Amino acid sequence: MEISLKYLPGGRAAASGNMMAQSDLDLKETALKEDLKFYFMNPCEKYRARRQIPWKLALQILKILMVTTQLIFFGLSNQLVVSFKEENTIAFKHLFLKGYSGSDEDDYSCSIYTQQDAYDSIFYVINQYKQLKNISLGTLAYEHEGSGLKICKQQYKKGTMLPSNDTLNIDVSTETECIFFKPQELAGKKAELKLNSSFFNLEFYRLIQVEISFKLKGIALQTIHARELPDCYAFQNTITFNNRAHSGKIKIYFDSDTDIQECKDWHIFGSVLQKNTQYILVFDGFVILSCFSSLILCTRSIVLALRLQKRFVNFFLEKYKRHVCHADRLEFINGWYVLVIISDVMTIIGSILKMEIKAKNLTSYDVCSILLGTSTLFVWVGVIRYLGYFQTYNVLILTMQASLPKVLRFCCCAGMIYLGYTFCGWIVLGPYHEKKYQQSGFPVTDLHEFLKDHGSVGYRKEQTSMPFICCCRRQQSDDNLILIN
Amino acid sequence: MEISLKYLPGGRAAASGNMMAQSDLDLKETALKEDLKFYFMNPCEKYRARRQIPWKLALQILKILMVTTQLIFFGLSNQLVVSFKEENTIAFKHLFLKGYSGSDEDDYSCSIYTQQDAYDSIFYVINQYKQLKNISLGTLAYEHEGSGLKICKQQYKKGTMLPSNDTLNIDVSTETECIFFKPQELAGKKAELKLNSSFFNLEFYRLIQVEISFKLKGIALQTIHARELPDCYAFQNTITFNNRAHSGKIKIYFDSDTDIQECKDWHIFGSVLQKNTQYILVFDGFVILSCFSSLILCTRSIVLALRLQKRFVNFFLEKYKRHVCHADRLEFINGWYVLVIISDVMTIIGSILKMEIKAKNLTSYDVCSILLGTSTLFVWVGVIRYLGYFQTYNVLILTMQASLPKVLRFCCCAGMIYLGYTFCGWIVLGPYHEKKYQQSGFPVTDLHEFLKDHGSVGYRKEQTSMPFICCCRRQQSDDNLILIN
Amino acid sequence: MEISLKYLPGGRAAASGNMMAQSDLDLKETALKEDLKFYFMNPCEKYRARRQIPWKLALQILKILMVTTQLIFFGLSNQLVVSFKEENTIAFKHLFLKGYSGSDEDDYSCSIYTQQDAYDSIFYVINQYKQLKNISLGTLAYEHEGSGLKICKQQYKKGTMLPSNDTLNIDVSTETECIFFKPQELAGKKAELKLNSSFFNLEFYRLIQVEISFKLKGIALQTIHARELPDCYAFQNTITFNNRAHSGKIKIYFDSDTDIQECKDWHIFGSVLQKNTQYILVFDGFVILSCFSSLILCTRSIVLALRLQKRFVNFFLEKYKRHVCHADRLEFINGWYVLVIISDVMTIIGSILKMEIKAKNLTSYDVCSILLGTSTLFVWVGVIRYLGYFQTYNVLILTMQASLPKVLRFCCCAGMIYLGYTFCGWIVLGPYHEKKYQQSGFPVTDLHEFLKDHGSVGYRKEQTSMPFICCCRRQQSDDNLILIN
Amino acid sequence: MEISLKYLPGGRAAASGNMMAQSDLDLKETALKEDLKFYFMNPCEKYRARRQIPWKLALQILKILMVTTQLIFFGLSNQLVVSFKEENTIAFKHLFLKGYSGSDEDDYSCSIYTQQDAYDSIFYVINQYKQLKNISLGTLAYEHEGSGLKICKQQYKKGTMLPSNDTLNIDVSTETECIFFKPQELAGKKAELKLNSSFFNLEFYRLIQVEISFKLKGIALQTIHARELPDCYAFQNTITFNNRAHSGKIKIYFDSDTDIQECKDWHIFGSVLQKNTQYILVFDGFVILSCFSSLILCTRSIVLALRLQKRFVNFFLEKYKRHVCHADRLEFINGWYVLVIISDVMTIIGSILKMEIKAKNLTSYDVCSILLGTSTLFVWVGVIRYLGYFQTYNVLILTMQASLPKVLRFCCCAGMIYLGYTFCGWIVLGPYHEKKYQQSGFPVTDLHEFLKDHGSVGYRKEQTSMPFICCCRRQQSDDNLILIN
C-alpha cells in the first residue's frame, strides 16, 4: 500500500521554475503526501497518528457477532420447517407406496415388474387414501372443497403391436383419461362401481403413465415449542407410475409439493406466543441498523478515496506531465470496502425478507438463506483483512494473492483437457456403466491429480523469475527512489 | 521454435570464396531466413506480418463447437438404447429368477443351497415363461417361428461316488440332455407329461449345469419421444444353474443377449418422425465437410513444412558441408497438425458410422463411440496449443512437456516393483481374501504412494542439473551465437 | 542450548576496574561457565564429563514400560465392561422394539408410520416385559422393590384441529398421564383391565410423546474368567415414542442407563478370585512409586535450573549492567521436564483412581481413561527428546519446532474462511440435504485443501528469509563471538 | 562403482625404492587395475571390452519368464482349492444356521436374543443334519466310522442367582455334558428319546456355551476340468453358541476345518488326467534347473569378487601400508547377486514343495505360496538393476537409495508419537466406539499426514548440506586425484 507514495518526489528533486508556483506546489505536495500517508495507514497507525478511534473496525466486529447470531436463529427455524416437510414426505411414502423399502432407488421411489404389482399398487393408494384418518399418525385431513383423489392415465391411441412379427401399428398421438374419487363418496357404492370400470383395464403395451394426485392439509404444531405461531401446510402429492420406456419396469415416483399458508382461524390458549416473535423482529431491526451504518461509513471511505485519487492524479499531471497508470489508480479503491458494502446490502435485503417470512407474508426461505449465508461468508472472510495488519500474517495473505492468477491460469489449461476427457469418458464409458462412472470417477481424478502434481512443478519453478509487477510501475522505479529519499 | 534459426550465420560470418556463388548463396540465405521466420510465427504474428487471415484457427474453433454438439446428440440417443437394454435385463431378472434380491451377488445373479430350491427355481422359470403375457409389463412376445423354451442339463456319465469311503467311480466324459417346451403347448397335457418326466430327476452329484434358454421379442417405443423410428429388439435369454464346482452352492447366472433389428412392418400415425432424422443427417454432413477442409489445410501445412525442411537441409549441406541433425529436422513437423489430422480422420469415419447407425444399417454403437469420443478429446486437447500462444501459458506447457519423459521413466521403474509386488500379493494374500484384497488394495497403493512421494524427491533434485537438450544441438551452440548476431 | 553461553565474554573483553573485584568476578565467571556448560549437556556428555549416571533417563525408560503395561491392563478390563453394556443394550432393543432391524436409523432406533403400528409397538413392550424371564437369554430380573413398568403419555390439553379448514383450537399447556404395571400383577385381571382402559386411546393429533420406562437388574459373570469379582448392574431402560413433530412419523428412541453396583451378597466357590486383584494393586503401587520419584527428580532439576538462572541473571547485571531478555530466561526452563511432571501427576492421579475402581469404590472409568491415556501419550512423546540427542534426528525435531508457529498462523487464517464457509454452507445447503452434506462434506475439504496447497507456497518461500531468532539475541551477537573465542 | 579405483595411484606418483620390486609392483598394479575396471563394468561394456557374452543377464530374463509362468499356474490351481473350501463353508452356513443372512456379522455368523431362538437353532442343526442327503446340493456324506453329531454344553456348576437382590451363589468351576447322535439312528425312537431328555433344558443363567460338531466328507470334482485328479475332503464343522458374556446375546460361530486327503479308491474313465500333471512337473523341473544354474553363476561371481577384494587389500597394504576401510570392502560384494541367490534358493525350495503338492504328498499351500511369491517379487525387483545400466534411470535409483535412511529415521520419530497416540486413542476413544475407531481411524491418519507434510520440510532442507559420503572415503580424496591423473 505504500507503493503509491513513490510518485511523490522529495523536495530536492525539482528546484527550478517560478518560485511562487513552486512553493504552492510544494505546499500542495506536502499536504497530499500527508493525506496519502494517512490514507494507507491501518487503524492502529491512524489511532497513533491522529487519535482517530477506529469506528469502522468496531462496527465490523459488532456486525460479525450480530450477523452470525441472526444466521444461526434463522437456520434453526428454517431447519424445523425443512425437517417437517421431509418427515411428512417420508411418512407419505410409507403410507401410499406398497412395498416401500424406506429409501429411494436412484431418483424414483420404487419399481414394479409385474402386471399384478401394478394393479395392487394403484388400488393400495386408493385404499390407503380412503382410510387415511384411521391410519395416519400426522394431523392430516382431506382438503375441504376438495377435488379428492384424481387418477389419470396417459396412453398412445389405439394400435396393435405384435413384437413376434416385428409388426407395429401405432398412433403416436397420446390420449389422457381421468377418474375422480371424492373423499366422502369413497366408501359408497359409486366408488365401487368406478373401481370396476374399464378405466382400470390397463393396456400396458400402449400405456405411458398413470398419475394419482391428491391434496392433503396439515398443521405443524412443532413451532409451538419455539413459542411461534403454528403453520398450516397444504401437501399436493403426486404418485406417477412411469411406463414411458416400455422396458418392462415401471418406475414409481412420489412427489410432494408443500405450500405453507397462514392458518385462517386459530385460538391458542395457555401461553404467550407472540412476544418471542417480536423480540426477534427487534433484533433483526438492530442488524439492519448496524449494517446500514457500516454501509454508509464504507461508502464515505470510498468516496473520500476517489476524491484523494483525483487530487493525486491532477497533482501528478501538473508536476510530471504524465498520467497515472490504471493499476495505480485501482490501488486507491480498497477491495475490502467493496466486499463490506456488498455484504451489507445483502444482509439488509436478507433481514427484510426474514422479517417478512416471520410475519408469514412470504415463504421464500431459499432466497433469504442464500442472501444471509453469502453475506455471513463475506463478513467472516473480511476478518482476514484485519489479520493482514499483523506483519507475519501479511506475508501469508500476499502470497495467496500472488499465487491466485497462476492457479487460475493452470486451472484454465487443465480445464481444457478435463472437458475433452469428460466428453470422451462420457461417450466411451458413460452410458454403459453410468452409475459406477459417476460414483468412482477414478479416471477423471487420476488425470486431474496427475496434472496438478506435475504441472505444479511448472509454476513452482517460475516463482522467482516471473515478474508480478505491473508494467507501468517498473518504468517509474527511479522516482520511487527519489521519493523514499 | 526459434532455435532452428541458429544454423543460419549472419552475413559477416563468411566473407571469402568466389563472389558470384557467394552472393547467390547470400540471396538464398536471406529468402530462406525470411521463410523460416514466417513459418515459426504464431497466427497473430503472421497476421501482423503478412495480413494472412488465420483460417485454420477459425476452422478449429468451429470444429470444436460442431464436434462437441454432435457428440452430445449421439451420446443422448446412445444412452436411450443402453438404458432400454439394461432395464429390460433387470425386468427379466425380476420375472424369471425366484428370490432375486434386486442386485447381483458378485458376477452371478443369485445362489441356491438346497435341492428343493433348485427344483423350485427351475419350475419357476417355466411357469413364468408360460404366463409371460399376463405378467410382463413390457411389450414382449414369444418369437414367432419359435423354438420356445429349451432346457438342457449337462452331467458326467453314470458313476458312483461314496465320499464316506473316499471311493470314486466316475466317467469323466459328459453327456447333455435337452427338453423343449413350445409356447403354444405349454398349457396342454403334453407339457405336464414332460414336467413329470425323468428329465427332472436331477442327480446333483454328477450334474454339471442346467441351462434354460428362450428368445423374446420386444419393441422400444421410447424413441418416439425423440421423433425417431422405434427399434425392434430380440432378447436371447439364458439362465444357467452352475454346479461345476460341486461345492454345495449352485450359482445362477442370467445372461441376456440383445439384438437390435429394423422393424419389418410399421405404420405410425399422428406425427412426423422422419424429418428430425434428416436434420441430424444434414448436420453430420456439415461436420464431415468441416473436418475434411481442416484435414486438407493441415496436410498442406505439413507438406509445405517438409518442403521448407528439404530446402533448409540442402542449404545447410551446401554452406557448411554438414548434415542437419535428426532432432532439428523433427522441429519442422508440427505435432499439433498431426494431432488435428488424426482427430479429423477419426471424426469423419465416426460421423459416417453414425449416419449409418441412424439409417438403421449398422448397430456398431461401440466403435462409433470410441471414434467420436477420442476425436473430441483430441480436439479439446488441441485448444491447449492456442493457449501456448499467450506467453504466461507457454511456460506451463513447456514445463509439462519437459517433465513428461521423467515421469514416464519413473513409472517404468515403479512399474517393475509394482508388477513383482502384484504377483507376490496375489499369490500370498490373494486367493484367501480375494474380495477384500481387490476392494481395498491398500498395500498396493501404499507402496505406490510411497514410491511417488520419495521417488519424486529424485527428479525434483535433478531438475536443474539434468540436460534436456538434444546432444547435437549443444555441439553447434557456437553457430547459434553467430546466427543471432 | 549453547546459545546462552554467548553472554559470557572472555577474559580479554573487560580489563579495567579494581583488580580484586575483577579477579573475584573472573572466578565467578569461570564457575558459572562450567555450570552452564554442564547444565546444557545431554546425559551422554554429562556421563563423560563427571561420570554422573543418568538416573532420570533410566527412570523414564522404566516408566514407559510400566505405564504402557498398566494402560493395556486397564484398557482390557475396561473393554469387558463396555462390551457387556453394549451387548445388553442391543439385546434389549431386539427384545423390546417390534421390527427392530438390528441397526439404528440416525439417532433413533426405529420409526413407525401408522396408528396400528403405534399400538402394536406399545403392547409389544408390555408383553415382552411380562414374559421377560421366559424370553431373555441374560441373567436379568425385575428390580426387587420395583416400580415395575411405567407408561407415561404427554399431550396438549383438549382441543380441536380441522386441518381441512385451516382451523386450530388448541391449549398449548401440556398434561402428562401415567399408568403403572407391577411385574407380579401383570398376568392377572387387573392388568387386563388397565390395558382396556381409556389411557390407551391415543389421540395422535395432540399426543406429544409416550414414554415407557422400567428397571432391570443383571449380573456380569464374564469377569470371573479374568479371576475378578462379578459386578451387579442396574439397567434403567426408557423407550420413547416421539411425536413432537406431528409429521406423521413417530421416532422410537431406546435409552439404557447402566449403573454398576457392588453385588451385596455373593458366595463364589471353586476358585481364587481375590489374589489376582491384589497383584494388580501391587503393580499399580509400583507405577505410582516410579512416577513419584521421576516427579521429584524432575522438580529438583527445574529448581536447580531456576537457581542457576538467577545466578546468571545477577552475574550479567553485575558485569554488563544489562537485564537478560525474557526469551533467554525461558531457555533455562526445560520444556521436557515440564512435560514429564505433568505426565507424572496425571499417572499418579490416574493410578489412584484405577485402584479405587478395582476396589469397586468408584466407577469413573472415563476420567481414569483420559488421565492414563494422556499421560501415556506424553510419556511416548517424551521419547522424542532422547532421539534429539542423536545429531541426525535433531535436525528433524528442530525443523518441526520451527514450522509449528507458521502452521498455527496459517490455520488461524484458514479457520476464518472455514468458519464463514461453514455458516454459509449450513444455511444454504445444510437443512435441505442435511445428511449428504455431513457425510460428504466435499466442498469444505476442497476449499481446505486448496488453501493448504497454495497457502503452503507462501510459507515455504519465507523459510530462508524469516528470522526466527529472538530480537534481543541478535543485538548481542558480537558478544557471542567474543565468548566463543 | 568407479570410486574404488581411486586407491590406485598412477605410475608417476611413486618413483623411488629398488627398481626390481618396483617394476614387479607396477606390473601387479597394471593387472589389478585392469581386473578392477573389468569387474565394475556393466554387461554391455564387458561385451565390448572382452566379447564376453552376458550369460547371467540372459539367464535372469529367462528366469523372470519361467518363474512368473510357474507362479501363475500355481496361483490358479491354488485358487480352485481355496474357492472350493470357501463355497463349501458358505453352503454349510446356509444349511445349518437358522436365519443366516448370507454375510457374517463381525467375527461371528449370526446372533440370537431369545430362549426360543436358541432352542430352535439347536434343533434346526440336528434336523438339517438328519436330512442332509436330501437337502444338500454338494457331494457330501457322513463320515464312515462316524462319531455322528456331538452336542456338548459347558456350564457353571449348580448355583443360584437372584439379580433382583444382588445375590449371587455360584460355583466357578465348570462342567461339560455331551450327547451323541449317530447318523443311522437319527430317524429312530432312540433319537426322539434323546431329544426329549433333560439335556435340552438349558439353564441360560449358568450356561457358558453349546458346541455342536460333526464331520462330513466330500469330493471336489472341479479339478477334473483342469485334467487333474479329484481331491477328497473331510470337513470338521463346529457350531458354537457362545453365551460366555451372559449379556442376553448369544453369538453363533461357525467353524469349518478342512482336511485334504488323497482319495483312497478311484476309477476314472474317459479321459487322460495324468499326462497334464506330468507336463507341469517337467516344467517345474526346468525352473529348478535354471534357478540352480543362476545360483551357481552368481555364487561364482561373488567368490571371484571376494578373491579380487583380497588381492586389492593386499596390494593396498603392500604399497600404502594402510588398511582398506570397511565401506570400500563392501563395495566388492554386489547386493544384486545376493538378492538373486536368495531368490533362487527360495524358488528351488518352493518348486520342490509345489511338486510334492501336485503329487498329493503335501498340502502346505501356504508355505509354498510365500516362497514362490517372495522369490517372484525379488526377481522383478531385480529388473531395476538392469534399468540402472541406462544413465537416466541410474539417477533415479541412486536418489531412492540415498533418501532411504532419512525416510527410515523420520518414520522412527513419527512412530514414537504414533505409538503414544495409538495407546491414548485406544484407551480414550477405543472401547466406547470400537468399530468406528477402527474403520475410520481418522485422527490417526490426520496426525500422520500432518507429520509427513511438515516433517518433510525438514529433510528437504538438509538435502544439500548432509554428507552422504562414508567418512573414510573423504580422507583419501587426495589419492583419488592421483589415480585419476
Side-chain angles (χ1 to χ4, degrees), chain D residues 323-337:
Chain D
H323 280 283
V324 177
C325 80
H326 200 68
D328 282 338
R329 277 189 199 189
L330 268 178
E331 201 75 23
F332 280 88
I333 293 158
N334 194 328
W336 295 112
Y337 288 154

Side-chain angles (χ1 to χ4, degrees), chain A residues 170-204:
Chain A
I170 205 158
D171 193 339
V172 175
S173 53
T174 60
E175 58 181 21
T176 307
E177 255 181 274
C178 286
I179 202 167
F180 297 89
F181 292 93
K182 298 238 162 168
Q184 51 271 37
E185 64 177 39
L186 256 170
K189 263 194 178 173
K190 215 172 158 188
E192 246 173 73
L193 271 175
K194 275 187 189 169
L195 286 170
N196 293 328
S197 74
S198 68
F199 177 86
F200 286 106
N201 284 331
L202 303 171
E203 285 164 274
F204 290 99

